[in-house]
Amino acid sequence: MHGHGYGQPAKKPPHLAVLVLLRVLFVAAGFLSIGFLAWAMLLRLAAVTRRPLDWGLFLTALFADIAAIVLVANDPSDDASGVGGTLGMCLVLITLASATTYYLIAEIRHYGRREREFAARSTPAYGYPGPAARPYATPVIPTMPAAPAMSGMPTPPPTAPHTPVPGPPPVVPPSHRPAPARIDQVRAELDELSDYLRKHDGQYDGRREDGIER
């Protein structure tokens, strides 16, 4: 089942200079032939518009020109000034004037209408998007099938992401610690003093014992 879709795009009419040149050529052919080729203008119009009315007018002009030729050719006078010749020439001139007027008016209106239709279809109406472009087919990339898991190998459980535990802030040592060094120095001095006193007391006691013995 098919949808409505979009209509056929309007065909751009020929350039105005080309149309003017063709009109000049067909009208000149009619006048240069003294109206005997007036049907060519209506043939051109019927081929462009493709309307039954224009085809009917083309056949009428063609029969009128043929009838005029027959009347002029069967006129008994030498200069075709008889009744038949006069009727034939009048018929030719009337057909030429009518065909030229109708041809120019109808063709100008026809191409003016086509120009408006082309402009209207080229510019989308307000609120309605233009015909959407056909999207390109997305290429299908074949994927490799996943390898089946081995029955003997256990599937490791998914591990949670490791989050680092923030540790204690680093302890900055004091820049100066003179107390322990000072204590050690005092202790060393006290030890030296104790040794000195101990030696001095030993000498003093020895001398005292010597004096007693004497």
Side-chain angles (χ1 to χ4, degrees):
M1 182 175 181
H2 300 281
H4 296 286
Y6 294 96
Q8 293 293 332
K11 187 178 180 181
K12 185 177 181 180
H15 196 273
L16 181 61
V18 178
L19 297 177
V20 171
L21 178 61
L22 290 175
R23 291 165 191 166
V24 170
L25 292 178
F26 279 97
V27 172
F31 278 90
L32 292 178
S33 63
I34 318 174
F36 289 103
L37 293 178
W39 54 268
M41 292 182 284
L42 297 178
L43 176 61
R44 151 77 180 172
L45 180 63
V48 168
T49 61
R50 298 180 182 180
R51 294 191 305 174
L53 175 62
D54 296 333
W55 286 108
L57 292 176
F58 157 67
L59 294 177
T60 302
L62 181 62
F63 292 151
D65 287 340
I66 294 175
I69 293 174
V70 171
L71 289 174
V72 171
N74 292 330
D75 188 78
S77 60
D78 296 335
D79 53 357
S81 58
V83 177
T86 302
L87 290 176
M89 292 304 299
C90 290
L91 185 59
V92 167
L93 294 177
I94 293 173
T95 304
L96 175 63
S98 302
T100 303
T101 304
Y102 181 78
Y103 164 69
L104 293 176
I105 294 175
E107 189 178 78
I108 291 173
R109 288 181 178 177
H110 172 73
Y111 281 109
R113 183 170 56 254
R114 283 186 56 183
E115 187 71 28
R116 290 190 298 270
E117 291 177 357
F118 177 77
R121 293 198 178 187
S122 300
T123 305
Y126 178 77
Y128 292 91
R134 179 177 298 176
Y136 292 99
T138 305
V140 179
I141 301 176
T143 58
M144 296 296 295
M150 298 180 65
S151 58
M153 298 295 293
T155 303
T159 58
H162 177 69
T163 303
V165 179
V171 179
V172 180
S175 59
H176 300 284
R177 298 184 63 181
R182 184 64 177 169
I183 292 172
D184 294 340
Q185 184 179 1
V186 172
R187 184 179 298 170
E189 291 177 357
L190 291 175
D191 292 340
E192 292 178 359
L193 182 59
S194 299
D195 294 339
Y196 176 76
L197 292 176
R198 193 177 297 112
K199 291 178 180 180
H200 182 71
D201 290 343
Q203 293 176 1
Y204 178 76
D205 292 339
R207 289 177 183 178
R208 186 177 178 182
E209 290 177 357
D210 291 338
I212 292 173
E213 290 178 356
R214 289 178 184 179

